[in-house]
Amino acid sequence: KQEVTQIPAALSVPEGENLVLNCSFTDSAIYNLQWFRQDPGKGLTSLLLIQSSQREQTSGRLNASLDKSSGRSTLYIAASQPGDSATYLCAVRPQDYGGSQGNLIFGKGTKLSVKP
Amino acid sequence: NAGVTQTPKFRILKIGQSMTLQCTQDMNHNYMYWYRQDPGMGLKLIYYSVGAGITDKGEVPNGYNVSRSTTEDFPLRLELAAPSQTSVYFCASSYAGGNYGYTFGSGTRLTVV
Protein backbone atom coordinates (compact mmCIF):
# COMPACT_ATOMS: atom_id res chain seq x y z
CA LYS A 1 0.00 0.00 0.00
CA GLN A 2 1.32 3.42 -0.97
CA GLU A 3 2.28 5.62 1.97
CA VAL A 4 3.46 9.22 1.86
CA THR A 5 5.55 10.77 4.61
CA GLN A 6 6.49 14.40 5.05
CA ILE A 7 9.35 15.58 7.20
CA PRO A 8 9.49 17.76 9.19
CA ALA A 9 5.95 18.07 10.51
CA ALA A 10 6.62 21.71 11.39
CA LEU A 11 9.29 24.20 10.49
CA SER A 12 9.97 27.75 11.65
CA VAL A 13 12.50 29.93 9.83
CA PRO A 14 13.41 33.63 9.72
CA GLU A 15 12.41 35.63 6.70
CA GLY A 16 14.82 35.44 3.79
CA GLU A 17 16.03 31.90 4.36
CA ASN A 18 16.04 29.27 1.66
CA LEU A 19 14.36 26.09 2.84
CA VAL A 20 13.61 22.54 1.77
CA LEU A 21 10.53 20.45 2.54
CA ASN A 22 10.78 16.71 2.14
CA CYS A 23 8.33 14.11 0.92
CA SER A 24 8.89 10.37 0.60
CA PHE A 25 6.67 7.63 -0.81
CA THR A 26 6.90 3.87 -0.57
CA ASP A 27 5.90 2.74 -4.09
CA SER A 28 7.64 4.22 -7.12
CA ALA A 29 4.79 3.23 -9.47
CA ILE A 30 3.21 6.67 -9.70
CA TYR A 31 1.78 8.83 -12.48
CA ASN A 32 2.76 12.08 -10.85
CA LEU A 33 3.39 13.97 -7.62
CA GLN A 34 1.69 17.20 -6.70
CA TRP A 35 2.58 19.80 -4.08
CA PHE A 36 -0.23 21.81 -2.51
CA ARG A 37 -0.43 24.75 -0.17
CA GLN A 38 -3.14 25.02 2.47
CA ASP A 39 -3.77 28.18 4.46
CA PRO A 40 -5.58 27.88 7.82
CA GLY A 41 -9.27 27.23 7.29
CA LYS A 42 -8.87 27.26 3.53
CA GLY A 43 -8.79 24.83 0.66
CA LEU A 44 -5.83 23.34 -1.18
CA THR A 45 -4.00 25.36 -3.79
CA SER A 46 -1.94 23.43 -6.30
CA LEU A 47 1.65 24.67 -6.45
CA LEU A 48 3.51 22.26 -8.71
CA LEU A 49 2.70 19.05 -10.58
CA ILE A 50 5.60 16.78 -11.54
CA GLN A 51 4.96 13.93 -13.96
CA SER A 52 6.74 10.64 -13.32
CA SER A 53 8.99 11.23 -16.35
CA GLN A 54 10.12 14.62 -15.09
CA ARG A 55 12.89 15.47 -12.63
CA GLU A 56 11.75 18.91 -11.54
CA GLN A 57 9.31 21.75 -11.95
CA THR A 58 9.74 25.42 -11.17
CA SER A 59 7.31 28.24 -10.46
CA GLY A 60 8.70 31.54 -9.29
CA ARG A 61 10.55 30.99 -6.01
CA LEU A 62 9.42 27.37 -5.82
CA ASN A 63 11.27 24.39 -7.22
CA ALA A 64 10.12 20.81 -6.79
CA SER A 65 12.23 17.79 -7.61
CA LEU A 66 11.29 14.16 -8.03
CA ASP A 67 13.47 11.08 -7.69
CA LYS A 68 11.01 8.32 -8.43
CA SER A 69 13.46 5.47 -8.02
CA SER A 70 14.28 6.46 -4.45
CA GLY A 71 10.72 7.54 -3.64
CA ARG A 72 11.59 11.13 -2.77
CA SER A 73 10.54 14.64 -3.63
CA THR A 74 11.68 17.98 -2.29
CA LEU A 75 10.07 21.39 -2.40
CA TYR A 76 12.62 24.18 -2.35
CA ILE A 77 11.45 27.67 -1.39
CA ALA A 78 13.91 30.46 -2.09
CA ALA A 79 14.09 33.69 -0.10
CA SER A 80 11.18 32.80 2.17
CA GLN A 81 8.60 35.44 3.10
CA PRO A 82 6.02 35.67 5.92
CA GLY A 83 3.35 35.18 3.25
CA ASP A 84 4.76 31.69 2.62
CA SER A 85 3.51 30.60 6.05
CA ALA A 86 1.08 27.75 5.46
CA THR A 87 0.87 23.97 5.49
CA TYR A 88 2.44 22.28 2.50
CA LEU A 89 1.03 18.95 1.38
CA CYS A 90 2.60 16.41 -0.91
CA ALA A 91 0.44 13.90 -2.78
CA VAL A 92 1.20 11.09 -5.22
CA ARG A 93 -1.09 9.58 -7.82
CA PRO A 94 -0.44 5.82 -7.83
CA GLN A 95 -0.58 3.82 -11.03
CA ASP A 96 -2.55 1.19 -9.19
CA TYR A 97 -4.74 1.79 -6.16
CA GLY A 98 -6.93 -1.27 -6.08
CA GLY A 99 -9.17 0.16 -8.76
CA SER A 100 -9.65 3.59 -7.17
CA GLN A 101 -8.72 5.33 -10.35
CA GLY A 102 -6.67 8.44 -10.06
CA ASN A 103 -6.85 8.64 -6.28
CA LEU A 104 -4.30 10.89 -4.64
CA ILE A 105 -2.43 9.65 -1.58
CA PHE A 106 -1.53 12.51 0.73
CA GLY A 107 1.13 13.09 3.30
CA LYS A 108 0.15 14.77 6.56
CA GLY A 109 1.89 17.99 5.60
CA THR A 110 4.62 20.31 6.84
CA LYS A 111 3.45 23.40 8.70
CA LEU A 112 5.76 26.26 7.75
CA SER A 113 6.09 29.46 9.72
CA VAL A 114 8.25 32.27 8.34
CA LYS A 115 9.07 34.90 10.97
CA PRO A 116 9.54 38.57 9.96
CA ASN B 1 -13.52 30.51 -14.44
CA ALA B 2 -14.77 29.53 -10.97
CA GLY B 3 -13.04 26.11 -10.79
CA VAL B 4 -14.51 23.88 -8.07
CA THR B 5 -17.25 25.45 -5.94
CA GLN B 6 -18.46 23.96 -2.66
CA THR B 7 -21.45 24.97 -0.57
CA PRO B 8 -22.02 25.54 2.28
CA LYS B 9 -18.73 26.67 3.77
CA PHE B 10 -19.80 25.90 7.33
CA ARG B 11 -22.56 23.80 8.85
CA ILE B 12 -23.55 22.53 12.28
CA LEU B 13 -25.71 19.42 12.35
CA LYS B 14 -27.38 17.59 15.19
CA ILE B 15 -26.84 13.85 15.55
CA GLY B 16 -29.20 11.97 13.24
CA GLN B 17 -29.86 14.86 10.88
CA SER B 18 -29.20 14.65 7.17
CA MET B 19 -27.65 17.06 4.74
CA THR B 20 -26.14 17.34 1.28
CA LEU B 21 -22.81 18.97 0.56
CA GLN B 22 -22.84 20.52 -2.88
CA CYS B 23 -19.94 20.49 -5.34
CA THR B 24 -19.88 21.84 -8.86
CA GLN B 25 -17.07 22.39 -11.36
CA ASP B 26 -17.00 24.36 -14.59
CA MET B 27 -13.81 22.95 -16.11
CA ASN B 28 -15.45 20.06 -17.96
CA HIS B 29 -13.50 17.61 -15.81
CA ASN B 30 -14.56 14.00 -16.03
CA TYR B 31 -13.26 12.84 -12.65
CA MET B 32 -14.56 14.15 -9.34
CA TYR B 33 -13.70 13.23 -5.76
CA TRP B 34 -14.77 13.77 -2.17
CA TYR B 35 -12.16 13.83 0.59
CA ARG B 36 -12.39 14.43 4.29
CA GLN B 37 -9.59 16.00 6.30
CA ASP B 38 -9.26 15.32 10.00
CA PRO B 39 -6.64 17.06 12.17
CA GLY B 40 -3.28 15.31 11.97
CA MET B 41 -4.69 12.56 9.75
CA GLY B 42 -4.27 13.87 6.24
CA LEU B 43 -6.92 13.61 3.53
CA LYS B 44 -8.90 10.43 3.01
CA LEU B 45 -10.94 9.59 -0.11
CA ILE B 46 -14.66 9.06 0.54
CA TYR B 47 -16.12 8.55 -2.95
CA TYR B 48 -15.11 9.30 -6.48
CA SER B 49 -16.65 9.40 -9.96
CA VAL B 50 -15.05 8.94 -13.37
CA GLY B 51 -18.03 10.32 -15.27
CA ALA B 52 -21.74 11.05 -15.17
CA GLY B 53 -23.66 8.05 -13.87
CA ILE B 54 -20.56 6.32 -12.47
CA THR B 55 -19.54 6.41 -8.81
CA ASP B 56 -17.39 4.22 -6.61
CA LYS B 57 -16.27 3.94 -3.01
CA GLY B 58 -12.99 5.25 -1.73
CA GLU B 59 -11.19 4.51 1.51
CA VAL B 60 -13.81 5.77 4.01
CA PRO B 61 -17.32 5.57 2.39
CA ASN B 62 -19.41 4.45 5.38
CA GLY B 63 -22.14 6.92 6.32
CA TYR B 64 -22.07 8.74 2.98
CA ASN B 65 -23.71 8.52 -0.42
CA VAL B 66 -23.06 10.26 -3.72
CA SER B 67 -24.62 10.69 -7.12
CA ARG B 68 -23.34 12.04 -10.44
CA SER B 69 -26.18 12.93 -12.76
CA THR B 70 -24.20 15.57 -14.68
CA THR B 71 -20.55 16.18 -15.49
CA GLU B 72 -20.59 19.37 -13.43
CA ASP B 73 -22.16 18.27 -10.13
CA PHE B 74 -21.12 15.72 -7.52
CA PRO B 75 -23.13 16.09 -4.29
CA LEU B 76 -22.22 14.21 -1.10
CA ARG B 77 -25.10 13.05 1.11
CA LEU B 78 -24.90 12.39 4.86
CA GLU B 79 -27.99 10.44 5.88
CA LEU B 80 -27.70 10.06 9.66
CA ALA B 81 -25.06 12.43 10.95
CA ALA B 82 -22.74 11.14 13.66
CA PRO B 83 -20.05 12.96 15.69
CA SER B 84 -17.41 10.92 13.84
CA GLN B 85 -18.38 12.80 10.68
CA THR B 86 -17.18 16.09 12.12
CA SER B 87 -14.50 17.06 9.64
CA VAL B 88 -13.57 19.33 6.78
CA TYR B 89 -14.83 18.04 3.43
CA PHE B 90 -13.11 18.81 0.16
CA CYS B 91 -14.36 18.22 -3.32
CA ALA B 92 -11.83 17.93 -6.14
CA SER B 93 -11.80 17.31 -9.87
CA SER B 94 -9.39 16.29 -12.60
CA TYR B 95 -9.75 16.07 -16.36
CA ALA B 96 -9.05 12.35 -16.31
CA GLY B 97 -6.92 9.75 -14.59
CA GLY B 98 -3.25 9.19 -15.16
CA ASN B 99 -1.13 12.28 -15.65
CA TYR B 100 -3.66 14.98 -14.86
CA GLY B 101 -3.47 17.15 -11.75
CA TYR B 102 -6.25 17.90 -9.30
CA THR B 103 -8.17 21.10 -8.55
CA PHE B 104 -9.70 21.42 -5.10
CA GLY B 105 -12.63 23.39 -3.77
CA SER B 106 -12.36 25.59 -0.68
CA GLY B 107 -13.98 23.04 1.63
CA THR B 108 -16.98 22.62 3.91
CA ARG B 109 -16.38 22.60 7.65
CA LEU B 110 -18.97 20.33 9.25
CA THR B 111 -19.59 19.92 12.97
CA VAL B 112 -21.97 17.25 14.29
CA VAL B 113 -23.19 17.83 17.86
Side-chain angles (χ1 to χ4, degrees):
Chain A
K1 180 182 176 183
Q2 178 74 267
E3 294 183 357
V4 179
T5 304
Q6 292 187 245
I7 296 174
L11 181 63
S12 182
V13 300
E15 181 177 5
E17 272 203 8
N18 302 324
L19 58 99
V20 174
L21 307 181
N22 295 294
C23 172
S24 62
F25 47 97
T26 55
D27 189 340
S28 62
I30 63 171
Y31 283 114
N32 55 51
L33 182 146
Q34 198 163 357
W35 282 94
F36 294 90
R37 169 185 172 139
Q38 186 175 27
D39 293 286
K42 305 292 186 181
L44 280 69
T45 300
S46 179
L47 297 173
L48 291 164
L49 171 67
I50 310 177
Q51 302 296 344
S52 62
S53 59
Q54 297 174 324
R55 297 286 291 183
E56 65 178 335
Q57 282 286 333
T58 299
S59 176
R61 293 183 294 109
L62 305 180
N63 176 277
S65 68
L66 175 64
D67 184 341
K68 197 174 69 164
S69 61
S70 67
R72 294 181 181 180
S73 176
T74 61
L75 179 66
Y76 175 82
I77 302 177
S80 59
Q81 304 170 358
D84 294 329
S85 297
T87 297
Y88 291 80
L89 297 166
C90 164
V92 299
R93 193 164 198 176
Q95 292 185 355
D96 180 18
Y97 189 65
S100 182
Q101 299 183 50
N103 183 33
L104 283 181
I105 309 298
F106 282 86
K108 295 181 179 180
T110 294
K111 186 175 182 179
L112 174 66
S113 176
V114 181
K115 305 294 185 183
Chain B
N1 192 342
V4 178
T5 302
Q6 291 184 239
T7 57
K9 293 188 182 301
F10 304 93
R11 184 72 185 268
I12 299 175
L13 278 183
K14 294 184 179 179
I15 294 172
Q17 286 186 322
S18 300
M19 77 164 294
T20 298
L21 282 65
Q22 301 292 343
C23 175
T24 187
Q25 53 90 10
D26 62 359
M27 299 173 286
N28 201 31
H29 283 176
N30 294 302
Y31 286 42
M32 296 187 74
Y33 314 84
W34 275 105
Y35 284 86
R36 59 177 287 171
Q37 184 179 37
D38 301 312
M41 297 300 293
L43 280 82
K44 302 290 186 183
L45 182 68
I46 304 171
Y47 271 95
Y48 70 100
S49 168
V50 300
I54 305 170
T55 63
D56 210 341
K57 297 177 180 179
E59 188 176 358
V60 290
N62 292 341
Y64 307 95
N65 279 298
V66 294
S67 60
R68 184 99 182 269
S69 58
T70 67
T71 299
E72 294 78 19
D73 300 306
F74 190 41
L76 178 71
R77 178 81 176 165
L78 283 70
E79 291 294 347
L80 292 171
S84 62
Q85 293 177 306
T86 294
S87 188
V88 181
Y89 292 85
F90 288 102
C91 179
S93 71
S94 64
Y95 180 71
N99 297 334
Y100 293 92
Y102 279 41
T103 301
F104 278 78
S106 58
T108 294
R109 185 174 297 272
L110 175 67
T111 302
V112 181
V113 297

